[in-house]
Amino acid sequence: MELEWFVYLSLILFSIGILGVLTQKTAIRILFSVELILNSANINFVAFNSYLQSTTSGTVIDQYMGWVFAMVVIALAAAEAAVGLAIFISLYRNFREIVVANIYELAESEEDE
Amino acid sequence: MAEAEKTLEIIKAFTGDSTADSMILMTAAIVLIPMVAAVLLIAIRYIEVRGKLQVSPLRAAVIGNLSILLSTGISITVLSMYFANYVKGIQTPYIEASWEFIAGTKLEWAFLIDPLSAMMGALLGIIALMIHFYAYDYMRHGEEEVTRFFAFLNFFTGSMWGFIYAGNLFNSLIFWELLGVSSYFLIGYYWYKPSASAAAMKAFLYNKVGDVGFLVGIFLTYGKTGGDLSYTHIFELIHKGELSASTLAVPAILIFLAAVGKSSQFPLFGWLPEAMEGPTPVSALLHSSTMVKAGLLLLMRNFLMLYDVGGFEAVLPDVSIPPAAIITWIGILTALLGALMATTSTDIKRILAFSTISQLGYIASAIGAGGLSPAFFHLISHATFKSLLFLCAGAVIHNLHHVQDIREMGGLYRHMKWTAITMGIGLLALAGFPFMSGFVSKDAVILSIANSDIPFKEGAQAIGLLTAAITAFYSTRMFYVVFLGEERYDKEKIVPHASSKLMLFPLITLASLVVIESIWFSIGLIAHLAELELPEIFLFEGFLGNMFGVHTPTDGALQGIIYSTIMVFIGMGAAIYFYKINPNARESIRSSLKFFEDFINNRFGVDIAIFWFVDHVALPIGNAFKTFDSVVVDGLVNFFGRTASLAIADFSDQFDQKVIDGIVNGSAYSIKYSVQRLRKLQDGIVGDYAKFMILGIGMLLLVFNLFFGKLALF
Amino acid sequence: MVEFFDFFFVINALFIVFSGLGVLFAKRVMQSALSLIFTLVGVANVFLLVNSEYLWVIQVSVYGGGIAVLLLFAGRLTSNEEDHFSFDRSDFLISFLFVLLILANLFVFISKSIPSQRGNIYTTDNGQLLLRQFFTNIWQANQGLGVILPFIALMFLAALLASVKLAIKEDE
């Protein structure tokens, strides 16, 4: 069981997440995909942390920095989920759906052309 | 001729002497506090004009008074700190500090504390405080815009403080001009009256004549002192003999021209009587210790520049009079003319204005005669009693509802006893009644002329004595006509009443100041005559002489006193005779001397001459230049414009149209075309944007993998 | 030979990948969310493998418990019944190609940049979880966390305020 394995696993999970972000139609599923990306990052952090623990002898903070970053990512995900929920509800209230492809307020209006 | 004997001791602040540091900082505070208050009041006034706020006169007055009170306290502290050493027997030094203003030059912000500035600052503080206090009661009745009034009054006082403490000619010029501007605002305070705005304009323009002289004088001095304009530097150069007064003669004359404008000497005295259009507190401040004294202070500051043997010789070989003699003679002439004009004037404020001109002439002549200490002596006593007189006149005018003609007054003693008494004290001092402050100081002035070595000094002395008699005459006349005799005012409309306590407070304070000064100075005079050994502080003039390090000889003091006492009593007796005992004789003399009276009332034709000069000399010259400009210069320019330029313009026009426009239009068209294609990508769907982002990241990674670092595939 | 933990890793990795794909391709949102929870638990197991028991606890409780429930909520509140997974073939293909580009490049990158000193990173003494070391790890991680905790707290606060602001219904 080598470090590479973890990184490749993380890579695959990351790619799945990206694919999800690109292909999913509803905002909530896009958010799920983002969670996948975050988790892949966490795998990386933890794996490298463990690898460095076994090969180097740093200070306590050096040895556990990967954990700490993983914690930060989890906290970020939590915050993101909270904000996301609020955004979805707001979107839903305005559009009665959360299909992002149907929400293109950013595009120029047709009349301008 | 006076001799300068003081050795120079210059203390640079912020180099270790903590006392000097704090004094300099206090000086800066003195100048800044009224300025800040003025800015605050202007801001309040601005809000008032916008209709957002109405500030009561009391609040504006409190702001103005508090700032002046603060500054006055600090200035008195500076004075006492400065003299603390002197009492211990240590020589009083020049304390200066400077901050860089324009990098790379010696044009700096500089503050200088020496006996002159320390004493003058405290004097200005006391008088300005009294006037500010008085101004509230004077201005609050039926006057709008008290905020504006106090803003400018504060600004004016602050500028004067800045001028007093200025440490180099450059700073002096700045505050000098600020004084001019603020006096313009104050004289034109009743801007809706045409006469007031005309008077403000006149004062400003007359001052400008002097200012030009000041500026050119500074330029010349700048060249001669190696670019360092600080007073201490100039003093040092003169003391070392590297710079003699003869090389400085022309700058000195030009600086005197500045003083002529500001201190209303002959021939530029026309603006001062007109300046009476401003409110009375302004007149009081303007005449006692600020505006008109600035010019004399400038002369005292540059005292050492004025004296040398030879004087003009370096420039005009045939004329052997030093600048000092010119100053003396113009000063004494101004004294005489001012006194004569005061005699015929019938406006209570203008009488005082003319008497100011006269007294300023005295001070200037003393400076010219080398009597720095008599000049400052007379400046102090004049500042005190003249502010008192103006405030009293203001009280009278206020009571009579803005009647200023003394022929419509009379008999006011019964109604306003305290005002009459205080004004009487002031007038006695002005008249030079024996052992009043004005008497002692004026005597010192005349004595300094008598002991100088200017040409025809006997004539100057005689004119000085004659002027003393005339001064006594018009002072007595004024008191009699205003306060005694029959009541000539319109009794149906006007009911005189005693001045309010708020008004009386400054009057009585200043009157007691005059009395204290009189006693103090008289003790010094008597001690000097009787050769008594008294502590130095009682011998006021000797004390001033020690301060400035310039001692004036005092030979013939007793004679001088006897002469001037006689002259004063002649003047007063004549006034009493012509106004009380035998008015008919006065009328007959007036009718026989009608032409002379008209001549005096026309200000000796000086203003007419100035206007004639402007109309017939200055304007034609200006028009000639204008014609030259429009015909010759414009002709040349047009010629080139029409012929040479047209060819170039044609060529560049073609180039512009063909080449540059082509490039511009081509690039604009190509951008427009590509943008029309690219805009299709902006469909507003976030997912599509994300796809492009991912594609971009992928391409970046590909490039990175292929080409960079040890990771490169190839 | 294939050790137990290697075997466990492979099984777990397959579990993660398939449940991750399940997140994408599940028919209904609720199924997708369930799949996400499976993925999270799988990732937690990976943490367990590399001796990070503390993060395992956090991952299961906070992520698998808290956040996933929040997401379930979001799905319930916003999805219509007819919201099924829809499949746009050309769109999917383009996206897949793009992702493949990234995947390939990163694979190359990783294979060249992973440290050459390869070894078994799973280093718990004889593969045993010692209770004492477990708590030591927690304590030490908290030491590191103390540095960064205020930022996390601030982030939460901001998120909370933003969500409250967004979720409050405007007065109409």
Side-chain angles (χ1 to χ4, degrees), chain A residues 10-111:
Chain A
S10 154
L11 179 57
I12 292 166
L13 195 57
F14 176 74
S15 301
I16 293 171
I18 292 281
L19 192 64
V21 168
L22 294 188
T23 56
Q24 295 302 312
K25 295 287 183 285
T26 57
I28 184 123
R29 284 176 181 243
I30 290 176
L31 190 66
F32 290 168
S33 309
V34 172
E35 299 292 341
L36 291 184
I37 294 172
L38 292 174
N39 270 289
S40 77
N42 264 2
I43 291 175
N44 260 349
F45 276 129
V46 172
F48 275 98
N49 186 49
S50 189
Y51 168 72
L52 289 176
Q53 260 183 359
S54 65
T55 53
T56 60
S57 58
T59 61
V60 172
I61 289 181
D62 286 339
Q63 287 183 5
Y64 290 92
M65 214 54 202
W67 286 26
V68 171
F69 271 110
M71 292 292 300
V72 172
V73 170
I74 291 172
L76 186 80
E80 187 195 303
V83 176
L85 176 60
I87 291 176
F88 298 154
I89 290 172
S90 191
L91 269 181
Y92 192 72
R93 194 183 292 148
N94 287 323
F95 295 95
R96 308 311 298 174
E97 62 179 1
I98 51 172
V99 180
V100 285
N102 295 345
I103 300 168
Y104 43 84
E105 294 286 303
L106 284 177
E108 58 184 342
S109 51
E110 308 281 325
E111 295 86 37

Side-chain angles (χ1 to χ4, degrees), chain B residues 106 169 280 502 682:
Chain B
K106 294 290 280 179
L169 281 168
T280 305
L502 272 178
Q682 303 287 330

Side-chain angles (χ1 to χ4, degrees), chain C residues 114 152 171:
Chain C
I114 286 291
I152 296 178
D171 291 330

Side-chain angles (χ1 to χ4, degrees), chain A residues 1 4 15 35 39 64 92, chain C residues 40 59 63 103 118 140:
Chain A
M1 197 165 61
E4 279 171 279
S15 301
E35 299 292 341
N39 270 289
Y64 290 92
Y92 192 72
Chain C
L40 298 177
Q59 174 89 1
Y63 230 135
L103 186 71
R118 307 191 179 185
Q140 284 172 335

Side-chain angles (χ1 to χ4, degrees), chain B residues 411-481:
Chain B
L412 289 175
Y413 178 78
R414 258 157 282 155
H415 305 288
M416 28 202 323
K417 199 171 153 195
W418 277 104
T419 314
I421 290 173
T422 50
M423 189 145 189
I425 292 173
L427 283 173
L428 279 182
L430 170 65
F433 192 79
F435 303 109
M436 294 301 285
S437 60
F439 172 78
V440 184
S441 55
K442 196 185 295 174
D443 216 45
V445 167
I446 296 173
L447 196 62
S448 74
I449 298 173
N451 283 317
S452 66
D453 48 7
I454 60 162
F456 313 115
K457 64 176 179 181
E458 291 80 8
Q461 191 189 0
I463 292 176
L465 285 170
L466 177 63
T467 308
I470 299 171
T471 310
F473 176 79
Y474 69 71
S475 309
T476 317
R477 161 184 178 250
M478 185 174 161
F479 188 79
Y480 181 81
V481 173

